[in-house]
Amino acid sequence: MTRQLMVLAMLALCLQTSAQGGLKAFVGKVGAFIDTMSISGVDRHYIDAPKKPWQLIVKGNVNQSILSMRTAGSIMGIDYDARPYLKTEPSKYVGLWAGYRGYGLGYTVNVGGDKGSYLTFGATGGAYGINVRIHSFKNSNPEFDLSSDIIPEDAKDEWGKVQLIDPIKVRTIIADGYYMFNSKHFSYAAAYDQSVLQKRSAGSLMVGAMYYYGHINYATPSNGDLIYMMKGLGRVKLWQGSVGLGYAYNWVPVRGLLVSAMAMPMLTFVNKLKAYGYATNVDDLMTNPIFMDKDISDEEWDEWFYSNLTIASTGNKMFNSGMAVNFDARLSLTYNFGQFFVNAYGQFNNMRYQHDSSHGYLNDWFVNTSVGIRL
């Protein structure tokens, strides 16, 4: 963030002289300042700036979210174990980015997968890295593993094919930041935005912080039967805040190739869950003669059941899960050849919740790839 503020200060200073020297002089002053700042305080035997400062990059992203829920209960004296499992298709995004020494603009579009929205923001320097990822998606076809004595063994596959009238909505926000103590020899930017070059292998002790937010919502009248099976749980919000101490290493086995790995145990000191409860009229519907009427068609039964299904909020409750130990890891591979470079890096996150006999987890992973040219 200090780096961005310094650039803004330089821009403001240059605006005062741009009228005298013209636009070309103004751009030259800003470029010279960024060039100097990118290698300021570093050992040039380990870190250097590319001779060509402009970057044009084609980016690709693949990400996936997996939501698993589980609850046990009893319906009309019959025990059951329900396990809704929502696994999105891997979402695919492609985009174009252009900038100067890591500062620039880009645009990304969805080309396949869950057709949700995926936004990323990032700032990377030699000593720090900040990233924010926002992913929202819907799914109406969760896998549903329902175990009960009432379901014949040969009918379980059919029961597992669920088509929800209203989809389950999921939204996640992941924000993380790191600070490297050995920025003189180690560059975070060399591994994650290629604005500088790591010439020799080096590592650094680091501190980091992470914020994780998840929102799972299926609380609509049409999902009253699902809410009933989940023992009244229809909506969940989760928060986690973590800090950690770890180590990162940039390995340069041959000229142009960089393998970067980061490992950080993290202490989660904020671990909250807000559960939203709902009452349904499923018990009342099950005592209605129409519920067990075998003379009506499946279409007529569905129309009757879902048109009469209702839910009502019973309030919400906040739970504190206490401190926990998590683990954050990233891996990046970069190859520079001439004025071109390719890069790939990935990250995985896991978040768990528990409410009475209901519990579950939300997994989120992504892989970013890029091919660029320096001009």
Side-chain angles (χ1 to χ4, degrees), residues 289-307:
I290 299 177
F291 188 85
M292 301 300 292
D293 190 346
K294 298 181 180 180
D295 295 329
I296 63 174
S297 66
D298 291 342
E299 291 76 12
E300 291 174 326
W301 191 94
D302 286 343
E303 183 179 357
W304 168 81
F305 182 79
Y306 288 106
S307 63

Side-chain angles (χ1 to χ4, degrees), residues 98-132:
Y100 186 94
R101 298 284 188 213
Y103 295 91
L105 298 173
Y107 183 71
T108 303
V109 296
N110 180 288
V111 295
D114 62 30
K115 292 181 170 50
S117 61
Y118 183 81
L119 300 174
T120 61
F121 307 90
T124 304
Y128 66 86
I130 301 172
N131 298 280
V132 179

Side-chain angles (χ1 to χ4, degrees), residues 187 190-191 198 250-254 256-260 332-336:
S187 173
Q198 183 83 43
N250 282 350
W251 179 42
V252 185
V254 295
L257 179 61
L258 172 61
V259 181
S260 180
S332 171
L333 178 65
T334 305
Y335 184 64
N336 296 280

Side-chain angles (χ1 to χ4, degrees), residues 213-228:
Y213 167 80
H215 185 191
I216 307 162
N217 186 7
Y218 49 94
T220 65
S222 296
N223 289 332
D225 48 353
L226 175 59
I227 294 172
Y228 181 78

